[in-house]
Amino acid sequence: MEFQSEQFRVKVGLAEMLKGGVIMDVTDAAQAKIAEDAGAAAVMALERVPADIRAEGGVARMAAIGKIEEIMKLVSIPVMAKCRIGHMAEARVLEALGVDFIDESEVLTPADEENHVWKRDFKVPFVCGCRNLGEALRRIGEGAAMIRTKGEAGSGNIVEAVRHLRAVRREMRRLGTLDAAELVPASKELQAPLELVEYVAREGKLPVPNFAAGGVATPADAALCMMLGAESVFVGSGIFKSEDPSRRAAAIVKAVTHWQDPAVVLEASRGLEGAMAGLDIAKLTPEEMLSRRGW
Amino acid sequence: MPGRWAPIGLLALQGDYAAHARALAERGAATREVRTSSDLAGLAGLVLPGGESTTMLTLMEGSDLGARLVAEIKGGLPVLATCAGVILLAREVRLPPQRSLGVLDAVVERNAYGRQLDSAVVSLTVRDRDGLGTDALEGVFIRAPRVTAVGTSVEVLATRGDDPVLLRQGAILAATFHPELTAGSPVVDLFARLVRAAG
């Protein structure tokens, strides 16, 4: 593995800088400015927020270049953008544009149903989603510099994020109890590179930062992700689909920093208007579950 | 008075404070995360980590944390500021202009080396070999700020080309790069010595 290569260190370095912060989905420069003023550590440029992708259907692609450029020009914080799973050409275009991070995201319509982008060859860092440890380690093996446990994007429901955060944490703890010989079948079972399985068993954590995403609608949702070991939180539809984006964004930023202090999370939550409408995950068909995309 | 075993505070509003905690733990120092002014009592030193300076400033608003940090730093508490931390301390911030704590006599331009694609590991020129105890110094630059001017009370310990990248002003050590991301960095060693000498 190329963990010690300068290129990989610089990629993971930016992920380190984003820890303890909130990365907010935005669809234009005005939203990006609101996010920056509220204290976002980075913004994610996309064509439509996940709730709208879910409602409107159709193929969801990389955002329009003009929109991303407008956002990059206006804000001084890092700008991320999403490409479709396996769409290496969209990824190359975003790299050429100079975005700071690419999210190879299941929220967009996958371009390849077998392969993800081979990310080691890129200079720009990538973040990828996962539902379990095996998926996380496969993405890191491909070169991802940051992992986000998937929630159910655009649902306003935190249950899937919690499920996957707990799954990754539980699987990491289990590896810590195995001896060297037992890690070989564990690697087979996880369908993940042995070297990365050994790293997790030894260090008790992923070799790259682990953020949470999907379904965060309130400051308490964000604090819950931090309690479950997330190092930072992505918020998608939760901000700009709410009735008070600016205040809600600032409140979620505060809750992520002060997650260990319920009095501050209380204060941040006080007086917020309506959160986005939520979906009952149990009523979604497997085909409607964005988090099942990616392999 | 902070005792010899008093912890070093890590400003933990946002950023890579965990990387600093690891680097200091390797040197036997205890650390404490600082999120409110009440976390500042009895510290032996202070780290202002990398991260997003705009986020940190927003999180300081409406509290006395910023004013208390300034008071502690002016009182001589040893400080290690890296990247965004330097932006917080600088006398003046440009590109875009933004408010700051103003205790380090330097002018700083944000993101002046470019975006993430311009982030790099760079071999630096050491100006203060005695202080750092080495000629060889690596700098991990992540969307780094550039120091464009320094006051007479500021000593430049290392440069990247002509740009000052490691500054010392009294008990303040300021790096526009990330020594916490280099294993065994002489910059963190120097900070640990400053903390011990002050204690």
Side-chain angles (χ1 to χ4, degrees):
Chain A
M1 191 61 198
E2 37 136 34
F3 280 153
Q4 293 317 311
S5 82
E6 286 188 1
Q7 180 161 295
F8 196 68
R9 287 172 62 205
V10 165
K11 290 177 176 178
V12 175
L14 181 56
E16 290 284 339
M17 297 312 142
L18 296 169
K19 280 187 181 176
V22 180
I23 299 156
M24 301 183 191
D25 277 3
V26 298
T27 56
D28 58 33
Q31 289 187 351
K33 186 67 186 149
I34 290 172
E36 181 175 54
D37 288 346
V43 290
M44 173 79 69
L46 74 175
E47 187 187 37
R48 296 174 281 171
V49 292
D52 289 335
I53 292 173
R54 192 180 281 291
E56 294 162 14
V59 175
R61 311 180 179 91
M62 168 179 82
I65 299 304
K67 288 277 184 202
I68 305 173
E69 274 179 325
E70 185 185 295
I71 292 166
M72 289 168 67
K73 240 176 249 163
L74 189 68
V75 299
S76 65
I77 55 178
V79 176
M80 302 186 171
K82 287 184 191 288
C83 77
R84 286 177 264 180
I85 289 176
H87 206 315
M88 49 205 162
E90 276 188 354
R92 285 296 180 196
V93 168
L94 291 173
E95 181 179 53
L97 180 59
V99 300
D100 296 297
F101 235 103
I102 295 177
D103 184 359
E104 186 183 16
S105 177
E106 70 283 359
V107 167
L108 306 187
T109 310
D112 187 328
E113 295 192 332
E114 278 174 42
N115 308 289
H116 283 248
V117 172
W118 181 250
K119 295 167 273 286
R120 290 199 208 182
D121 290 345
F122 284 73
K123 199 168 178 223
V124 63
F126 278 76
V127 53
C128 290
C130 77
R131 287 185 297 161
N132 52 51
L133 183 58
E135 196 176 354
L137 297 182
R138 287 193 292 279
R139 296 296 85 78
I140 295 167
E142 292 158 358
M146 181 201 291
I147 290 296
R148 51 173 174 72
T149 47
K150 294 177 195 168
E152 189 53 30
S155 72
N157 189 333
I158 199 69
V159 66
E160 294 298 301
V162 169
R163 189 191 319 281
H164 302 141
L165 274 167
R166 282 204 182 270
V168 169
R169 202 164 71 152
R170 194 167 49 238
E171 289 163 345
M172 290 201 293
R173 271 201 303 260
R174 188 179 76 88
L175 288 186
T177 67
L178 303 182
D179 70 22
E182 289 166 334
L183 291 176
V184 178
S187 157
K188 179 183 167 200
E189 184 193 319
L190 289 167
Q191 300 180 43
L194 177 61
E195 198 184 358
L196 295 177
V197 170
E198 287 171 334
Y199 179 96
V200 172
R202 193 172 59 241
E203 305 291 332
K205 62 183 190 70
L206 296 179
V208 304
N210 180 19
F211 292 10
V216 175
T218 68
D221 285 346
L224 175 60
C225 293
M226 298 300 281
M227 285 177 183
L228 292 172
E231 294 174 299
S232 203
V233 175
F234 284 82
V235 187
S237 321
I239 291 171
F240 290 101
K241 282 288 160 188
S242 74
E243 291 171 21
D244 49 0
S246 179
R247 287 182 59 197
R248 183 165 297 266
I252 292 175
V253 168
K254 207 170 246 184
V256 166
T257 294
H258 297 282
W259 63 273
Q260 288 149 301
D261 186 347
V264 180
V265 181
L266 164 66
E267 201 44 48
S269 308
R270 183 168 277 146
L272 289 181
E273 312 277 327
M276 69 175 284
L279 292 176
D280 183 351
I281 299 291
K283 296 204 175 111
L284 295 179
T285 65
E287 293 71 40
E288 289 173 320
M289 299 275 287
L290 301 178
S291 62
R292 304 242 172 147
R293 295 168 171 177
W295 18 89
Chain B
M1 286 294 286
R4 197 176 156 200
W5 304 107
I8 293 171
L10 306 167
L11 186 67
L13 296 173
Q14 190 273 322
D16 77 330
Y17 50 87
H20 278 282
R22 272 196 302 276
L24 289 168
E26 282 166 12
R27 285 141 178 106
T31 55
R32 180 202 298 159
E33 294 178 3
V34 172
R35 293 186 176 82
T36 66
S37 57
S38 58
D39 299 324
L40 286 170
L43 295 177
L46 182 68
V47 171
L48 305 181
E52 283 307 312
S53 59
T54 54
T55 303
M56 297 181 201
L57 286 167
T58 304
L59 283 160
M60 279 187 209
E61 274 172 14
S63 81
D64 62 345
L65 181 57
R68 289 286 310 279
L69 284 173
V70 169
E72 293 286 344
I73 296 167
K74 285 187 172 165
L77 188 68
V79 175
L80 172 62
T82 63
C83 196
V86 180
I87 300 172
L88 287 185
L89 289 187
R91 169 167 60 79
E92 188 186 339
V93 180
R94 295 176 182 164
L95 293 180
Q98 104 189 0
R99 58 198 188 282
S100 59
L101 301 178
V103 289
L104 176 68
D105 193 1
V107 179
V108 172
E109 287 180 357
R110 291 185 59 205
N111 300 328
Y113 295 98
R115 305 191 71 96
Q116 173 63 12
L117 289 178
D118 306 295
S119 293
V121 181
V122 177
S123 174
L124 304 175
T125 307
V126 172
R127 293 246 198 113
D128 179 13
R129 189 179 310 178
D130 295 341
L132 286 164
T134 179
D135 276 332
L137 189 59
E138 165 189 281
V140 180
F141 289 83
I142 311 281
R143 288 174 44 97
R146 176 186 272 134
V147 172
T148 56
V150 295
T152 50
S153 61
V154 174
E155 193 187 344
V156 176
L157 307 188
T159 57
R160 170 182 180 175
D162 292 331
D163 297 338
V165 293
L166 180 62
L167 313 177
R168 181 169 173 186
Q169 174 187 309
I172 301 173
L173 205 53
T176 57
F177 55 98
H178 293 282
E180 72 278 15
L181 298 183
T182 295
S185 170
V187 179
V188 183
D189 290 338
L190 173 58
F191 176 60
R193 286 200 299 276
L194 288 176
V195 171
R196 272 195 293 272

